[in-house]
Amino acid sequence: MPKRILQGTVTSNANEQTVTVQVERRFTHPVLKKTIRKSKKYRAHDEKNAFAVGDTVRIQECAPKSKTKRWEVIG
């Protein structure tokens, strides 16, 4: 099964080798037909501490790296 890839914005890089990425998705409400924005935060592995707050990054699913990290930054 292919790994999921998501795109989002880095909201925190305070921890070593970890970034918090906020991913926003847009969809049309099934009844109201109004466009809704929902966002979710993911903790992703950043091996070289290369990304700063505000950067747009892509993250990919991976095997668990810690209790909360299930994603890794691919660029």
Side-chain angles (χ1 to χ4, degrees):
M1 195 162 115
K3 298 178 180 179
R4 290 185 292 167
I5 295 176
L6 301 174
Q7 183 173 339
T9 307
V10 176
T11 57
S12 171
N13 64 349
N15 297 331
E16 193 69 23
Q17 293 188 340
T18 303
V19 291
T20 302
V21 180
Q22 184 165 13
V23 176
E24 182 182 284
R25 65 186 191 96
R26 293 176 183 221
F27 62 96
T28 305
H29 190 280
V31 176
L32 302 177
K33 307 300 182 202
K34 179 179 179 180
T35 301
I36 297 175
R37 292 172 17 174
K38 281 205 176 199
S39 62
K40 185 173 178 180
K41 289 184 179 179
Y42 297 92
R43 291 169 61 77
H45 186 66
D46 176 15
E47 187 71 41
K48 300 178 181 118
N49 293 321
F51 300 99
V53 175
D55 290 350
T56 300
V57 295
R58 292 172 52 183
I59 57 175
Q60 173 179 304
E61 263 184 323
C62 67
K65 300 213 182 264
S66 73
K67 179 181 174 184
T68 57
K69 286 197 288 187
R70 306 288 189 269
W71 297 82
E72 58 192 358
V73 179
I74 56 174

